Amino acid sequence: MPLDGADKAAARRAARAIDALRRGWPIGVEAGGERLNLLPVETADLEAALPSSGTISLIISASRAATLKLLNQFAAADPNLPIQISLPAPLTAAEIIAIVDPVLDMRYPMKGPFRSEALSNAPAATAAMDLARHGGLLPAFVLVDSAEDITRAEDAAAFADADALIISAHARLPVAANSEAHIYGFRSDADATDHIALVVGKRDSSTPIVRLHSECLTGDVLGSLKCDCGPQLHAALEQMSEATWGVLLYLRQEGRGIGLINKLRAYALQDQGFDTVDANQRLGFAIDARDFSIAARMLDLLNVPKIKLLTNNPEKVEGLEACGVTVEERLPVKIAANPHNEFYLDTKRDRTGHKL
């Protein structure tokens, strides 16, 4: 159902904050009656903002701090909290970016010295990191004195509320796999991301074959050989066409939810020898940042309570069942490996539990 007034206001504050971050503007995050003013490292005009003397305080993710060999000295009870460090000014924008972007570690291996500080406002800092991740930005900030855009620490949760999703458009869409298909567009009060569902074949009382497919521009459109996304997408549509009917849920959660730009950064880290799991974590993101409750909400709006799920990922089954969807059967997706994605497929099997 759509968000109520309070939740909608919270989601809009979060959306404005994310927009400000993507534009490089500072935001203020309030928690516990105190405000933390933060400037996004990735998008801001750092040269204009950095002081020429004194110290510069940065907030970085726990995983980035671990890469830099920084101990979480002031938050040992919660190792996932962001880390606050200070460095002596002056520093250039390039030096700051080299500190927060792991892709640059091999180019700029020498960093520091760093001094850990007590985290100024842990709830506000944690919420800011979540907002950066929602915006597809590196989770890293410079502390500043002021900011005009103000949000609350709890607003980030409202931004990601799957219950806000509604069907906004529907049309017939013949596709190569099956001319009998209809497309549904889903929009949310909470964010600007649109998701789609393609219902393939003639719907009846039987249980449909369903595929949750996360958007992959490089694989689905450009034919990337680094992943198996494109072949999986087309194999799923063919399998639905051969059955009575099926539903493709195309989720706009590129790169397992880290966004297109960060996925490309992950590719660069993979070229340096890291697997897909380590690459995501070094960038300050979860191994899998996707929200499968969105798919459950889409199925609910389509009145599809029971499914046969086409996936090799048991977490998709668990995620849907936790949201009330009955998964009658898991159907494996069998795709031939190639020399460019063999290591990636092995990593999915060995480190994230994928199985045929």
Side-chain angles (χ1 to χ4, degrees), residues 278-292:
D278 288 335
N280 278 24
Q281 291 182 313
R282 290 176 77 88
L283 288 166
F285 289 86
I287 296 172
D288 192 334
R290 290 174 293 183
D291 182 0
F292 296 131

Side-chain angles (χ1 to χ4, degrees), residues 279-351:
N280 278 24
Q281 291 182 313
R282 290 176 77 88
L283 288 166
F285 289 86
I287 296 172
D288 192 334
R290 290 174 293 183
D291 182 0
F292 296 131
S293 67
I294 292 172
R297 173 64 176 162
M298 293 167 72
L299 289 171
D300 180 51
L301 290 169
L302 292 171
N303 193 26
V304 180
K306 298 186 298 182
I307 65 173
K308 295 179 180 179
L309 188 61
L310 194 58
T311 184
N312 298 334
N313 185 357
E315 288 189 3
K316 287 184 179 179
V317 177
E318 296 168 5
L320 289 178
E321 289 183 333
C323 294
V325 178
T326 299
V327 181
E328 290 187 347
E329 184 180 0
R330 183 185 70 83
L331 304 174
V333 186
K334 299 179 181 180
I335 300 297
N338 67 63
H340 301 278
N341 68 13
E342 283 179 329
F343 181 53
Y344 169 76
L345 297 178
D346 289 346
T347 299
K348 290 206 296 184
R349 180 196 64 210
D350 298 337
R351 301 199 63 185

Side-chain angles (χ1 to χ4, degrees), residues 44-237:
D45 181 1
L46 294 179
E47 295 292 3
L50 295 174
S52 58
S53 61
T55 60
I56 298 170
S57 293
L58 293 178
I59 292 181
I60 59 177
S61 68
S63 59
R64 182 58 180 153
T67 300
L68 296 173
K69 308 301 182 185
L70 294 169
L71 296 177
N72 192 348
Q73 299 169 6
F74 295 95
D78 186 353
N80 295 316
L81 279 176
I83 306 300
Q84 186 169 323
I85 60 175
S86 65
L87 304 98
L91 286 175
T92 66
E95 289 171 322
I96 294 289
I97 293 171
I99 291 170
V100 305
D101 188 350
V103 176
L104 301 175
D105 284 347
M106 295 183 70
R107 191 186 307 175
Y108 304 108
M110 302 301 293
K111 301 180 178 70
F114 304 107
R115 184 172 67 86
S116 296
E117 299 179 320
L119 194 56
S120 298
N121 185 327
T126 300
M129 304 297 267
D130 288 341
L131 291 170
R133 293 182 180 107
H134 282 311
L137 303 178
L138 286 173
F141 295 92
V142 176
L143 269 65
V144 293
D145 294 331
S146 62
E148 294 182 6
D149 290 278
I150 308 300
T151 190
R152 300 171 184 169
E154 61 270 21
D155 291 345
F159 180 82
D161 192 342
D163 288 340
L165 211 63
I166 59 172
I167 295 177
S168 294
H170 164 230
R172 189 176 68 87
L173 183 69
V175 295
N178 193 320
S179 61
E180 185 71 33
H182 289 253
I183 190 167
Y184 294 80
F186 297 80
R187 182 167 287 171
S188 171
D189 288 339
D191 65 40
T193 302
D194 300 329
H195 305 276
I196 65 168
L198 187 71
V199 177
V200 177
K202 293 185 178 180
R203 179 169 181 161
D204 61 15
S205 60
S206 64
T207 302
I209 293 176
V210 172
R211 168 71 181 167
L212 274 61
H213 191 88
S214 298
E215 179 181 38
C216 179
L217 174 70
T218 49
D220 299 341
V221 178
L222 302 179
S224 167
L225 298 177
K226 290 177 70 73
C227 65
D228 56 347
C229 301
Q232 282 194 341
L233 173 62
H234 295 290
L237 289 172

